[in-house]
Amino acid sequence: MPLTLRLAGVAFLCAALAGCAPNEVSDSPQPTSPNTSTVASATTVEPPPPLPLQATPAPTPALETESVEAPVVEEPYILDCQIGLGPIETYWSDGTVTGYSDYCQSVHDEVLQNEVDANTPVCDGTVCRYPSGATIPDPNAVPDDRCTNQINYAGDPRSNAEINSIGAQTGQCPAPIS
């Protein structure tokens, strides 16, 4: 009988370690060794005394960890463009500096156009006025060489049109009549 108890104890221990309850019945055939004897079903086998319980370690409290989300990688964006009329340089949010970008090209073109506009006078045929307020004589002005603009004909009985037509026909301005 002690051999039977030992075999039952070993079977119980194996079943417990394998995660099976001792009362469960397995449908798969159990291997038998040639040296073991079969126990008749009429024999009752008492389970071995319970094994002493080992102290299980106390559950460790879960460490509180901050959940760190993966940083969102943003597409670099333009911070600034080179000021002035030099070569195009683009300053990006990730710290890089590159040359051409469509945006900085448009800024460059706008600055250039503003510079051209600031240095382009508006001419009226007599004088040219700059946006700053400066004036110069209109270089494309047609000289007004009419006789009435060159000589004072005050008191002359002839009309300005008659005096100017005489000057245009002869190439000389007539002398004033008083």
Side-chain angles (χ1 to χ4, degrees):
M1 189 87 160
L3 180 63
T4 315
L5 284 176
R6 283 187 192 157
L7 286 176
V10 169
F12 178 76
L13 183 60
C14 289
L17 290 177
C20 299
N23 294 336
E24 289 184 10
V25 178
S26 173
D27 291 340
S28 61
Q30 298 294 324
T32 57
S33 69
N35 295 337
T36 60
S37 60
T38 7
V39 179
S41 59
T43 311
T44 44
V45 178
E46 291 185 29
L51 297 174
L53 294 175
Q54 293 181 348
T56 57
T60 57
L63 296 176
E64 292 185 25
T65 59
E66 293 182 27
S67 63
V68 178
E69 294 182 17
V72 176
V73 178
E74 292 183 3
E75 185 76 22
Y77 54 91
I78 296 174
L79 291 176
D80 199 10
C81 300
Q82 178 182 349
I83 299 172
L85 299 174
I88 296 172
E89 288 186 357
T90 306
Y91 301 96
W92 296 90
S93 61
D94 62 358
T96 59
V97 178
T98 61
Y100 178 84
S101 70
D102 287 336
Y103 174 76
C104 287
Q105 179 66 48
S106 68
V107 169
H108 180 270
D109 293 344
E110 183 180 345
V111 168
L112 180 60
Q113 187 60 48
N114 289 341
E115 189 70 21
V116 168
D117 292 345
N119 291 306
T120 303
V122 177
C123 300
D124 61 8
T126 307
V127 73
C128 294
R129 289 182 178 78
Y130 286 91
S132 66
T135 59
I136 61 168
D138 189 348
N140 298 325
V142 178
D144 192 5
D145 55 356
R146 295 179 291 175
C147 292
T148 53
N149 290 338
Q150 296 177 26
I151 301 172
N152 185 1
Y153 288 97
D156 196 310
R158 299 172 288 187
S159 70
N160 285 347
E162 183 181 351
I163 296 170
N164 288 330
S165 64
I166 293 170
Q169 288 172 357
T170 62
Q172 289 183 328
C173 294
I177 300 174
S178 32

